[in-house]
Amino acid sequence: MLLCIDCGNTNTVFSIWNGSDFITTWRTATDHQRTADQYFVWLSTLMAHQKMELDINQVIISSTVPRVVFNLRVLADRYFNCRPLVVGKPDCALPTAPRVDAGTTVGPDRLVNSAGAFARHGGNLIVVDFGTATTFDVVASDGAYVGGVIAPGVNLSLEALHHAAAALPHVDISHPEKVIGTNTVACMQSGVFWGYVGLVKEICARIRDEYDAPMKVIGTGGLARLFEQVDQLFDVIEDDLTMHGLTVINDFNKDLK
């Protein structure tokens, strides 16, 4: 079985793929100090709790936090007796190479999302991922990542408001009933929610104009479904897009052997 690991700035997600389905998914806070042994104790405890006996013999990793990768590599080698594929490293081939400026390093999460989206929907796509940052990835007709946009993430914006303005409290993102807030919390929630609705609509419109071709918009990330409630921002939402992309890249590399 294949263990897919997606390490982001905030959370790290572990999913187990049996060749046709993801049979389980677990999430933990990203911590670069967590050792391989600690990862294994955590994973094996969850497996025992769900009464799962799994033969993991492949591991693939996508990480936007370089310091975490070493211990994840050790986890794969020590406990699953395999050399993991790490997206973005020279020994991990991509189905289609990105076409960006020479010397540019593309985030592994963006490469994985592009591969997963192309496998499911073909090319000419905009992938909007609501993570620590809100990213817009442009996928060409042949599946190549050809550029995009990086904006501050929703929760990051709320935290910045809270920390930079002494009078503003910490609030959670929600879909406000009205645009005009009648208290501080409602004003902040409205500004962030409708501000990001406008951001997604405007950036996608400008990408379409510049790309000059019909494009499908794919939403992913934890907050995509919250924003789906208004204005039909996305053609489709893929909750497991990153994990699916990891299976696509893993299969591509297996076929090369």
Side-chain angles (χ1 to χ4, degrees), residues 23-77:
I23 59 175
T24 191
T25 295
W26 299 303
R27 182 182 301 265
T28 186
T30 297
D31 180 1
H32 71 272
Q33 295 182 321
R34 186 172 289 135
T35 66
D37 302 323
Q38 288 173 315
Y39 279 120
F40 182 71
V41 169
W42 177 74
L43 284 169
S44 58
T45 300
L46 289 169
M47 290 179 187
H49 178 71
Q50 295 184 216
K51 297 181 173 57
M52 302 174 70
E53 294 184 9
L54 303 175
D55 180 22
I56 294 171
N57 52 20
Q58 302 172 76
V59 178
I60 184 168
I61 302 165
S62 168
S63 177
T64 58
V65 186
R67 289 188 295 176
V68 173
V69 173
F70 173 78
N71 283 313
L72 292 175
R73 283 184 179 273
V74 174
L75 170 71
D77 177 65

Side-chain angles (χ1 to χ4, degrees), residues 210-243:
E210 190 171 299
Y211 194 78
D212 196 26
M215 304 183 80
K216 181 180 287 187
V217 180
I218 313 298
T220 191
L223 293 174
R225 293 203 176 272
L226 175 66
F227 287 97
E228 182 191 30
Q229 299 174 15
V230 297
D231 290 8
Q232 193 60 42
L233 295 179
F234 314 110
D235 294 296
V236 64
I237 288 183
E238 299 280 7
D239 294 318
D240 64 344
L241 183 64
T242 302
M243 288 302 174

Side-chain angles (χ1 to χ4, degrees), residues 2 17 19 58 60 85 246-256:
L2 171 66
W17 174 254
Q58 302 172 76
I60 184 168
L85 278 173
L246 286 171
T247 69
V248 170
I249 292 172
N250 188 73
D251 287 345
F252 180 76
N253 281 267
K254 283 171 58 179
D255 290 342
L256 294 178

Side-chain angles (χ1 to χ4, degrees), residues 101-147:
D101 294 343
T104 299
T105 300
V106 181
D109 53 334
R110 309 184 82 176
L111 298 173
V112 172
N113 282 349
S114 296
F118 180 73
R120 284 181 170 169
H121 302 285
N124 295 333
L125 306 173
I126 304 170
V127 181
V128 185
D129 187 354
F130 292 90
T132 304
T134 301
T135 58
F136 298 74
D137 302 325
V138 180
V139 184
S141 58
D142 63 350
Y145 169 86
V146 294

